[in-house]
Amino acid sequence: MRIAYVLLDPGIGVFGTKGASVHVQEIVRTFRALGHEVSVFCTRADEHMPADLADLDVTRLEVPRGLDRSQREIALLRLSDMLADLVTDTVAASGRGFDLVYERYSLFSTAGARISQRLGVPLIMEVNAPLLDEQRTHRGLVHAEHAARATAASFAGADRIVCVSELVAGWVRADYPGLDDVSVVPNGVNTERITPQGGHDRLDGGDLRAHGPVRIGFVGTLKPWHGTDRLVAACAGLVGDFRVDIVGDGPEADALTEQVRALGLSGRVRFRGAVAPEAVPQALREFDLAVAPYPAGQNYFSPLKVYEYLAAGLPVVASSVGAIPGVLGGTGAAILTDPTDTEDLTRALQLLIDDPELRAEMGARARSEALASHSWTQRCRQILAPMTGAAPVESGDVPVVTGDVSVDKGTAESGRRSASAVRA
């Protein structure tokens, strides 16, 4: 198939370094590996282009600079129309159409729905977050009615809506009832790109760092809802020879640096800053265990970092929030901790620092779990199955809760919103 990938969100660079950009790249990369031809239409590209995507067909419409929030929102509405016109005009001029439109849900965009209707081809809408709520809460939303109408029009125009978690799917189903196909397809991982220490086939969990400090790792944007401050606080109670590597950057960087200094951890904690996606696999191979220390509260994400930790063959310590218990519970690859209890996080980290055999065993299980259930190939086949006529995805490809390796405390509640969005 020829696929038009549409991304209006100016906060996500196709070739950026944050998790959303990695997600875009992996979806595109996997579609291409499955034999499909992909053209990307976006408002932001960025400069960290992976070598294997250097030939990707990318068309960008730039958001004007110097606009206030209200002006920027109106500009996005106009860019959505312009992008739809650009795609359909290009098809008319070249005589080469698309078989599918795939859009990552973005506020103020109806481009995918318009392109789909004009070309007479299906639209798959990927929904990663309840953006209306998220925008209001964290960044502010001036033209909320326009955003709600654009969202309703996009969802109504989609033949298939794929959501990264059950909480996100619940939001879609509750606020936009009557949609035909709203499915949950969690995020995944490239198990060829991210491999354990020692290579693809090292599944014995051998401890390659028998000497030297135990490396505790975190990868992600330094924002409050990632809980990196909880990790730092937990490390203040650890004993033994350990180091902490924090890979990422963000608005919490200065506060975290000060927290490390105040707790006397400056010799233990290293801030490595943001790295390009192609450097993440090597960074992961330098860890002995990895942490997803999310705080308590509603968590609707399908955390990329958790899947990457698994693929790297790392034992995982993670907060029991959102979708995480469903991914890690019963795998033997993780210790789930209470997101309200920093001492619980400290105890889990100390257990793994003190027990290299346990780290090795959990790491082997982590890699096996990634290979069996969480590859991007499995995920993308599941996304495209109704359009390609492929056989249904095996049940093992979707994480199922079958138990836990620790007490599951404090799973996030799913707060709901009563929307007043009107279908356009």
Side-chain angles (χ1 to χ4, degrees), residues 193-217:
R193 187 174 70 88
I194 296 182
T195 58
Q197 299 178 41
H200 293 67
D201 300 322
R202 189 176 180 86
L203 300 179
D204 60 359
D207 186 10
L208 301 186
R209 193 176 290 107
H211 305 287
V214 175
R215 297 283 180 180
I216 301 168

Side-chain angles (χ1 to χ4, degrees), residues 60-140:
R60 183 172 69 95
L61 294 179
E62 186 172 359
V63 179
R65 298 178 182 274
L67 303 180
D68 62 26
R69 179 171 290 126
S70 176
Q71 293 169 330
R72 187 178 177 85
E73 291 176 2
I74 295 300
L76 288 172
L77 285 169
R78 292 172 178 166
L79 283 170
S80 172
D81 292 341
M82 291 171 62
L83 194 150
D85 291 342
L86 172 65
V87 175
T88 52
D89 289 349
T90 299
V91 168
S94 67
R96 293 196 72 209
F98 291 99
D99 303 297
L100 174 70
V101 181
Y102 186 93
E103 181 168 21
R104 181 177 174 125
Y105 166 48
S106 304
L107 285 178
F108 303 106
S109 177
T110 57
R114 290 174 183 267
I115 296 166
S116 169
Q117 183 178 34
R118 292 175 188 177
L119 298 183
V121 300
L123 166 64
I124 295 178
M125 178 68 65
E126 173 195 289
V127 185
N128 301 83
L131 291 182
L132 287 167
D133 289 351
E134 189 176 86
Q135 188 76 12
R136 287 190 187 101
T137 302
H138 299 292
R139 291 176 285 275

Side-chain angles (χ1 to χ4, degrees), residues 367-382:
R367 177 64 181 176
S368 295
E369 179 69 14
L371 291 171
S373 301
H374 302 303
S375 76
W376 273 123
T377 300
Q378 293 166 329
R379 297 292 193 257
C380 287
R381 283 178 174 157
Q382 187 178 357

Side-chain angles (χ1 to χ4, degrees), residues 207-277:
D207 186 10
L208 301 186
R209 193 176 290 107
H211 305 287
V214 175
R215 297 283 180 180
I216 301 168
F218 169 90
V219 176
T221 307
L222 305 184
K223 292 183 177 179
W225 54 86
H226 285 173
T228 321
D229 60 324
R230 297 189 65 246
L231 171 60
V232 172
C235 288
L238 295 176
V239 297
D241 194 6
F242 71 91
R243 299 291 184 273
V244 182
D245 276 1
I246 296 176
V247 179
D249 202 353
E252 295 294 296
D254 290 343
L256 289 168
T257 301
E258 175 56 28
Q259 183 187 14
V260 166
R261 187 201 64 76
L263 292 174
L265 293 171
S266 297
R268 301 267 198 174
V269 179
R270 176 174 61 157
F271 292 93
R272 298 180 58 177
V275 300

